[in-house]
Amino acid sequence: MSLDFTEVAVSNVARHYGRRKALSQVSFACSAGEVVGLLGPNGAGKSTLLSILATLVEPSAGEVTYGGYRAAAAGAAVRARVGLLGHDLYLYPELSARENLAFFARLYGLPDVDARVQRGLEYANLVDRADDQVLGFSRGMRQRLALERALVHGPRLLLLDEPFTGLDQSSAAALVGRLRGLQDDGCLIIAATHDLDVAEGLLTRVLFLRQGRIVSAEEGGLGLRTRYQLAMRAS
Amino acid sequence: MTAFFRVAWLIFRKDLAVEARSWELVSTTVFFSVACLLVFSFALINEGQAVGDVAAGILWVAIAFSGTLALGRTFERERQTDTLRALMLAPADRPALYVGKLLGILFLMLLTEVILVPLVALFFQAPIVDWPLHLAALLLAGTLGYAAVGTLFAAMLVRARSRDVMLPILLYPITVPVIIAGVRGTAALFQETPDAALAQFWLALLVFFDVVFVTLALWTFEPVMTE
């Protein structure tokens, strides 16, 4: 049922909603151990690209391959290796933190659910609040829990949409540490973010998007904020 | 196959757990259906006697209207938290997600009927205890057919802006055969001399509709949910 891959390739992907072009001719490839940043203004197509990578949205043109497998062909086997932390956090507010993690662990058909849930709660620093309804959690607590929800099945490809939203400085630092650990474990991370200061130093590569197109892709050089400004100005 | 039913059961249990914490759907559905029944009873009961043979029709109108309310809300919950995307991302058979949601709706509607049917008997002197198994089978089969179509449409419309308006517009015409069979079958049991054979005929028709609707819904759920 499950397959593994170490590379994701996006080839000439476009996505249209009626006459509006959300993405045009987007191509790039990335490998396990990379942390790729998707940067750009609102409406640049970052979330659409993440949805396509998560196999939730079909591209209007082009294709995405996961170690050579196309999502349409591999279906559930690819989805089993993808984790997504969306802008909405995909948590059930009426359920407790423990119930949320356990539900998703069981949905993925994972063994040792209790141990995985406990580990997730520890990473999210929510052991004390494990049996409280998510309804009463702060945005930061929900964000931490949602990340563990996205990681409960140990995905190879982790997609993050604004992962630092609502996190205080120490929580953001903890998240950066957690993502570095995942990177070291061979996880391929693609993150769309506006928090350039927090993302600086974490991202190994940056794709700048504007109006659905990649306007610049670079690996280093100047500071992230300066590169962002230059990329946006040049386009 | 076991994975299919495991996922469906998980979704069903999760929906029950969410409902047990909020009581949102149970309270609104029961309140709405009882209010519907009361309005009809004010209009159609004269000096303690119902005007004509109306009990079966009123029962199914209350079931259909309250069911629509529940169908809309159950997917609205998944939309508000965007958890539907998390469900779609899971490596589970997508029709299993549909079956899980269908079981949740079915359970809720049957729960409402447990309250509704005795009230219909009380207000309209409907003989619900003469053929209880026939009546239960008609209600179960009719509710399944209605919920099968409704669950599919509610899922389809979850991202549509005008979903609250569109759901009844799409649902009622398609489920007319189910409602007619439900009303006629139930009326056959509620009449002065109950006609079990006629009720069985309508029950067989309802089972046929159920098979058709559930099969079509399982077949179309994945394509209609793909963005």
Side-chain angles (χ1 to χ4, degrees):
Chain A
M1 164 100 164
S2 186
L3 59 83
D4 203 5
F5 52 87
T6 54
E7 192 184 87
V8 172
V10 177
S11 170
N12 289 320
V13 162
R15 174 68 198 193
H16 306 158
Y17 293 101
R19 295 176 65 185
R20 190 173 69 82
K21 291 179 180 175
L23 284 177
S24 294
Q25 301 284 310
V26 171
S27 298
F28 68 94
C30 43
S31 309
E34 277 194 274
V35 184
V36 179
L38 297 179
L39 305 185
N42 295 328
K46 304 185 295 290
S47 297
T48 304
L49 182 54
L50 287 179
S51 295
I52 289 172
L53 286 163
T55 75
L56 291 172
V57 173
E58 282 187 7
S60 308
E63 65 173 16
V64 181
T65 54
Y66 305 80
Y69 298 96
R70 292 182 63 228
V78 164
R79 295 203 301 274
R81 301 296 286 152
V82 177
L84 172 65
L85 172 64
H87 189 64
D88 291 310
L89 299 176
Y90 310 162
L91 295 170
Y92 292 98
E94 294 88 354
L95 302 185
S96 69
R98 188 188 303 281
E99 286 168 333
N100 266 287
L101 292 183
F103 169 70
F104 283 103
R106 292 194 176 103
L107 191 63
Y108 278 77
L110 303 173
D112 308 324
V113 168
D114 291 343
R116 281 173 189 269
V117 168
Q118 192 58 32
R119 211 161 43 235
L121 289 168
E122 283 164 14
Y123 274 125
N125 200 17
L126 287 169
V127 175
D128 296 345
R129 305 286 304 271
D131 297 310
D132 291 356
Q133 284 186 314
V134 170
L135 204 63
F137 285 8
S138 69
R139 169 76 198 195
M141 291 161 76
R142 288 182 198 210
Q143 188 84 5
R144 297 199 309 262
L145 180 64
L147 178 69
E148 295 311 318
R149 196 261 320 138
L151 291 171
V152 75
H153 57 295
R156 169 68 72 183
L157 172 63
L158 178 62
L159 304 165
L160 306 169
D161 196 355
E162 299 297 346
F164 303 108
T165 304
L167 297 184
D168 58 30
Q169 218 166 9
S170 65
S171 298
L175 174 57
V176 169
R178 179 92 168 97
L179 295 179
R180 285 216 172 98
L182 291 167
Q183 179 191 8
D184 293 341
D185 292 342
C187 190
L188 199 173
I189 303 169
I190 302 179
T193 182
H194 288 111
D195 291 284
L196 304 184
D197 296 331
V198 184
E200 176 94 73
L202 171 68
L203 305 178
T204 55
R205 192 147 59 99
V206 181
L207 304 175
F208 295 101
L209 275 104
R210 185 164 182 163
Q211 293 176 341
R213 290 176 180 275
I214 294 179
V215 293
S216 174
E218 4 171 334
E219 291 188 14
L222 300 164
L224 194 54
R225 189 167 291 279
T226 311
R227 283 151 63 200
Y228 179 82
Q229 285 164 350
L230 286 173
M232 292 303 120
R233 222 176 285 159
S235 63
Chain B
M1 204 57 176
T2 48
F4 183 96
F5 288 111
R6 181 184 55 78
V7 169
W9 180 246
L10 258 178
I11 302 286
F12 171 61
R13 267 183 43 197
K14 181 270 296 172
D15 277 359
L16 281 194
V18 168
E19 184 54 30
R21 307 280 162 78
S22 67
W23 286 95
E24 184 193 354
L25 290 184
V26 170
S27 58
T28 50
T29 308
V30 169
F31 179 80
F32 183 80
S33 58
V34 171
C36 196
L37 203 62
L38 283 173
V39 170
F40 279 119
S41 69
F42 290 139
L44 299 170
I45 294 175
N46 193 9
E47 294 180 358
Q49 287 296 314
V51 179
D53 190 12
V54 293
I58 290 167
L59 174 63
W60 279 98
V61 165
I63 289 170
F65 283 5
S66 60
T68 311
L69 199 68
L71 283 163
R73 281 304 302 163
T74 189
F75 278 96
E76 181 64 14
R77 267 182 188 160
E78 303 280 1
R79 191 194 65 80
Q80 277 174 350
T81 49
D82 221 359
T83 39
L84 194 58
R85 297 191 101 207
L87 298 182
M88 297 300 287
L89 187 58
D93 281 339
R94 285 171 173 171
L97 306 177
Y98 164 81
V99 172
K101 297 302 283 185
L102 172 61
L103 288 174
I105 288 288
L106 192 62
F107 180 80
L108 181 71
M109 288 180 72
L110 291 175
L111 193 69
T112 308
E113 287 163 24
V114 167
I115 297 164
L116 213 52
V117 171
L119 288 177
V120 168
L122 183 70
F123 292 153
F124 297 95
Q125 294 89 44
I128 60 168
V129 288
D130 290 357
W131 294 89
L133 290 180
H134 283 66
L135 180 60
L138 278 166
L139 287 170
L140 178 63
T143 308
L144 176 60
Y146 188 81
V149 181
T151 305
L152 179 67
F153 284 163
M156 266 170 64
L157 292 169
V158 74
R159 285 183 286 268
R161 206 171 295 170
S162 53
R163 56 190 165 275
D164 294 333
V165 179
M166 290 301 293
L167 181 60
I169 289 174
L170 289 173
L171 180 59
Y172 294 151
I174 303 279
T175 53
V176 157
V178 171
I179 302 292
I180 290 174
V183 170
R184 298 312 311 155
T186 312
L189 295 178
F190 283 179
Q191 63 196 16
E192 217 164 299
T193 315
D195 186 344
L198 185 60
Q200 274 175 345
F201 164 76
W202 288 111
L203 177 61
L205 210 58
L206 278 174
V207 171
F208 170 73
F209 289 140
D210 289 352
V211 171
V212 171
F213 286 155
V214 171
T215 306
L216 282 176
L218 287 172
W219 187 42
T220 53
F221 185 73
E222 176 146 10
V224 301
M225 293 307 291
T226 305
E227 286 180 55

